[in-house]
Amino acid sequence: MSRTKNILILSLFFIASVLRAQTPSGYVLVKTNLSSFGQNKNSYSYQWTATNNTSENGNFFILVNIPTNEEIQSVTCFTSLSNSLQTSPPLPLTGSAPLTIGPFPIAADSSVTFGVAAGNHGQTITGETFSLLSQSQLSGNNSVEASSVTLSSEPGTPTPNGNLIQSVVAAPNISNGKEPIDFLVNLNSPALVTLTLFAITGEQVFDTQEQVQTGKSSLLWNVQNSVGQTVASGLYIYLLRVDGAGSEETLAGKVLILH
């Protein structure tokens, strides 16, 4: 493929990505400055500019559904955040796959810009969605304190204190078609477990609650909303609350649905 055709395909993908970007009220993520680089014609770079259009300072996350055939090689911040930027899972990461970047602070009425190095492993790249979420939007509940929510970076990652939750695994964490997702939980003591699913726009789509005994159990999500409709393709945030033994823990993570 010639360099001109390659840049044309990437440009069309870039324009489509901007149009499909999710922009929750008050927070905007814009993708700009697409360009190719190096000897490899399939390598390119772009920028994300994350803007907090509110009067409140806060910590934020970028959630990305990396499309098939794209590889995110690195993400760097053009400010002092460069040395502390966290990605989950670690980079490089090739789609189709979900990626979380953050947390990172954005002051009220200001922006932070990230540089992204990426690559194209195929003829086309389609299906990207991306969004900027506050800590409370990520948890799906504005009443949840930021310190009580821990992102699960890998299946089976334990919470820091381990008092109630030993591990949580979403199996699979990428669902094809109408394949249901089992949330496998391993608890240190009996507890009331509440599972809630949110779209990346913050809309609640499903919830269930069960009394779970010590050890391994599972909660099933059949990739339908609360009225029995199959949810659309995209990235979804789950919030798992565990209430037992006189304390409560909350774990947040992500699953990708593809149809």
Side-chain angles (χ1 to χ4, degrees):
M1 181 183 294
S2 68
R3 176 177 289 270
T4 300
K5 290 182 179 178
N6 188 52
I7 291 297
L8 177 59
I9 287 176
L10 293 175
S11 298
L12 291 173
F13 158 65
F14 166 70
I15 293 171
S17 298
V18 171
L19 292 176
R20 281 200 295 269
Q22 303 290 333
T23 54
S25 177
Y27 314 127
V28 180
L29 183 63
V30 178
K31 191 172 175 181
T32 59
N33 296 348
L34 178 72
S35 62
S36 62
F37 65 89
Q39 298 297 317
N40 184 352
K41 297 178 181 180
N42 293 330
S43 295
Y44 56 97
S45 64
Y46 56 86
Q47 293 180 4
W48 273 312
T49 299
T51 304
N52 174 8
N53 291 324
T54 74
S55 59
E56 300 290 334
N57 301 332
N59 285 326
F60 291 84
F61 294 82
I62 292 174
L63 299 186
V64 189
N65 170 19
I66 302 176
T68 303
N69 296 329
E70 183 182 27
E71 178 184 54
I72 302 295
Q73 298 162 356
S74 65
V75 180
T76 56
C77 186
F78 297 151
T79 69
S80 59
L81 297 175
S82 299
N83 295 328
S84 61
L85 193 62
Q86 300 177 29
T87 62
S88 175
L91 299 178
L93 183 64
T94 301
S96 175
L99 174 67
T100 302
I101 303 167
F104 50 85
I106 308 180
D109 295 316
S110 64
S111 300
V112 175
T113 300
F114 300 90
V116 181
N120 176 10
H121 294 286
Q123 297 290 316
T124 61
I125 302 176
T126 60
E128 182 190 52
T129 59
F130 55 90
S131 64
L132 178 68
L133 297 184
S134 68
Q135 181 88 58
S136 59
Q137 285 176 319
L138 182 73
S139 71
N141 186 333
N142 291 340
S143 66
V144 176
E145 295 294 331
S147 60
S148 70
V149 178
T150 304
L151 263 182
S152 176
S153 58
E154 295 291 343
T157 298
T159 56
N161 54 32
N163 288 337
L164 291 171
I165 306 173
Q166 290 190 40
S167 64
V168 177
V169 179
N173 65 352
I174 300 179
S175 172
N176 290 292
K178 298 181 180 180
E179 182 181 16
I181 295 177
D182 256 323
F183 291 87
L184 309 175
V185 298
N186 193 358
L187 303 183
N188 283 323
S189 62
L192 181 65
V193 178
T194 303
L195 172 68
T196 311
L197 274 295
F198 300 86
I200 57 174
T201 56
E203 176 189 3
Q204 180 175 321
V205 296
F206 175 81
D207 72 305
T208 187
Q209 188 175 75
E210 293 185 23
Q211 183 68 39
V212 175
Q213 299 304 310
T214 303
K216 297 180 180 180
S217 300
S218 68
L219 289 83
L220 182 70
W221 182 42
N222 59 1
V223 300
Q224 295 180 352
N225 62 21
S226 296
V227 295
Q229 300 169 326
T230 300
V231 299
S233 295
L235 191 64
Y236 291 81
I237 304 301
Y238 68 83
L239 191 68
L240 194 84
R241 293 190 187 89
V242 179
D243 188 4
S247 62
E248 180 177 309
E249 289 188 41
T250 305
L251 189 72
K254 53 197 179 301
V255 291
L256 182 64
I257 308 299
L258 301 173
H259 294 305

